[in-house]
Amino acid sequence: MGFPVVLALLLMANPLDATDFLRVEWGEETIAILDRADYTLPFSGVPLVDEAKLERVIKSVAEQVYQAPVNATIDGAGRIVPEKRGRALHEKAFTEQVYDYFYGSGSKSITPAIREVMPKVDRELLNQVRQKFIGGYSTYYNPRNKNRSHNIMLAAKAINNYVVLPGEIFSFNKVVGPRTRQKGYLEAPIIVRGELSEGIGGGICQVSSTLYNAVDRAGMHILQRYSHSRHVAYVPPGRDATVSWNGPDFVFQNKYAYPILIRAYSGNGQITVTIHSFPEIEYEPRHVPSVRNHMPEETPADPQLPD
């Protein structure tokens, strides 16, 4: 017999006052108000909580109190920026708080019980995983194409400092997320069915392609990789990795016994991705052909610009 049912049977003789409320306070705000009458199942003489309604309250409160943890990162000067712990609703404890009100009497105000959420990457892990270089790759682009350069910078920033744990699968689309105007991406040339056209997020595939060659050099297990419908200028033939939101993805798995760290830098017409790990790692590097230091921009020629 569950806890609510036991209390209900014990308190059948104690009618509930429907005019008394439970206020859920967070900081200086009231984020939920509950009335016993609204959350009581319509069984005469047996006060039972309507679990479906309570679940909706729990979900709403959880969304309002949640704060995501922040991983430790490495800044531009090579210093480690410490992690920050997050918080989430302690659903079991919060449910008990609601039951205490429901089967009690009078009004009540509570602060919802929370639990700490630990970050995936802390200072100690980051300090170890950055110590050994196991792979890297650089490609080049035309910095005069401001929109494309901006998109490359945003995507490189999204994968920079990302740690892939042993056995973990990395999805480029999941890590970078949708390439939208709301996230700051701009229109730039993309390849659609073998032809160049303008689209939001143009240039992203150069980031995924550079990452592909870097992790391939480090011996990662490549799970998904698709080529463009035409040759791209920034990598040798067959060495590209096209991606699009809700479409092709680039996916690999860390097959090693140690975590790996992805570092990505973009600027002055060059994007570099390097892969690092613990000093003790034994890895299996692969040969990957390099690129020329300079190459034509992946866009139709502009007659106003010099060759």
Side-chain angles (χ1 to χ4, degrees), residues 3-307:
F3 171 72
V5 176
V6 172
L7 283 180
L9 294 176
L10 291 174
L11 300 174
M12 283 177 60
N14 182 21
L16 300 177
D17 185 352
T19 63
D20 295 324
F21 300 100
L22 172 66
R23 294 181 179 274
V24 182
E25 310 284 352
W26 187 251
E28 298 180 355
E29 297 183 6
T30 299
I31 60 176
I33 298 178
L34 284 71
D35 185 338
R36 288 187 181 90
D38 292 337
Y39 290 83
T40 304
L41 289 172
F43 299 134
S44 177
V46 183
L48 292 176
V49 175
D50 187 326
E51 298 291 344
K53 287 185 177 180
L54 179 57
E55 283 295 324
R56 290 195 287 270
V57 172
I58 292 173
K59 181 180 179 181
S60 173
V61 172
E63 290 174 350
Q64 295 180 78
V65 304
Y66 179 75
Q67 183 175 26
V70 179
N71 289 328
T73 57
I74 301 172
D75 66 15
R79 297 168 299 205
I80 293 180
V81 180
E83 72 279 3
K84 294 181 181 179
R85 297 182 180 185
R87 64 168 181 260
L89 181 68
H90 193 308
E91 294 190 6
K92 184 176 183 295
F94 177 68
T95 301
E96 291 175 356
Q97 289 177 300
V98 175
Y99 282 146
D100 287 343
Y101 155 76
F102 186 83
Y103 292 111
S105 61
S107 61
K108 193 172 185 179
S109 294
I110 63 170
T111 298
I114 62 169
R115 58 180 177 83
E116 281 191 326
V117 180
M118 303 302 293
K120 173 184 173 183
V121 181
D122 60 18
R123 285 164 288 187
E124 288 75 17
L125 172 60
L126 194 57
N127 187 52
Q128 289 294 313
V129 77
R130 70 172 178 168
Q131 292 195 24
K132 187 171 184 176
F133 173 87
I134 64 172
Y137 204 79
S138 294
T139 62
Y140 303 87
Y141 57 89
N142 185 350
R144 293 175 298 178
N145 189 326
K146 300 301 183 183
N147 285 10
R148 194 170 185 277
S149 301
H150 175 80
N151 293 339
I152 289 173
M153 178 272 296
L154 285 182
K157 184 178 179 180
I159 65 172
N160 185 38
N161 283 314
Y162 196 91
V163 172
V164 188
L165 300 177
E168 185 179 2
I169 292 175
F170 175 99
S171 161
F172 186 91
N173 281 342
K174 288 181 180 179
V175 172
V176 176
R179 278 72 85 178
T180 63
R181 285 190 177 90
Q182 290 73 19
K183 294 187 67 174
Y185 289 96
L186 305 174
E187 286 195 356
I190 60 173
I191 296 177
V192 179
R193 292 185 293 275
E195 299 297 329
L196 282 170
S197 62
E198 292 287 319
I200 298 296
I204 301 302
C205 292
Q206 182 158 353
V207 180
S208 57
S209 297
T210 309
L211 174 64
Y212 159 57
N213 285 281
V215 298
D216 199 22
R217 272 186 172 171
M220 294 296 113
H221 183 198
I222 309 301
L223 298 178
Q224 273 187 56
R225 198 271 303 184
Y226 301 92
S227 289
H228 289 80
S229 52
R230 60 177 285 181
H231 172 59
V232 293
Y234 46 78
V235 289
R239 299 303 307 176
D240 58 317
T242 183
V243 292
S244 67
W245 188 247
N246 291 325
D249 195 3
F250 170 58
V251 182
F252 71 88
Q253 183 177 35
N254 177 11
K255 68 177 186 179
Y256 297 125
Y258 292 92
I260 65 159
L261 168 68
I262 299 171
R263 297 281 280 149
Y265 317 83
S266 171
N268 300 317
Q270 177 178 338
I271 173 172
T272 298
V273 175
T274 57
I275 311 299
H276 308 261
S277 190
F278 278 55
E280 299 84 0
I281 191 172
E282 295 182 4
Y283 68 104
E284 302 169 354
R286 299 191 187 100
H287 171 72
V288 173
S290 299
V291 300
R292 294 177 297 160
N293 286 357
H294 301 284
M295 60 193 58
E297 171 72 347
E298 186 191 314
T299 182
D302 186 341
Q304 302 301 316
L305 296 176
D307 291 339

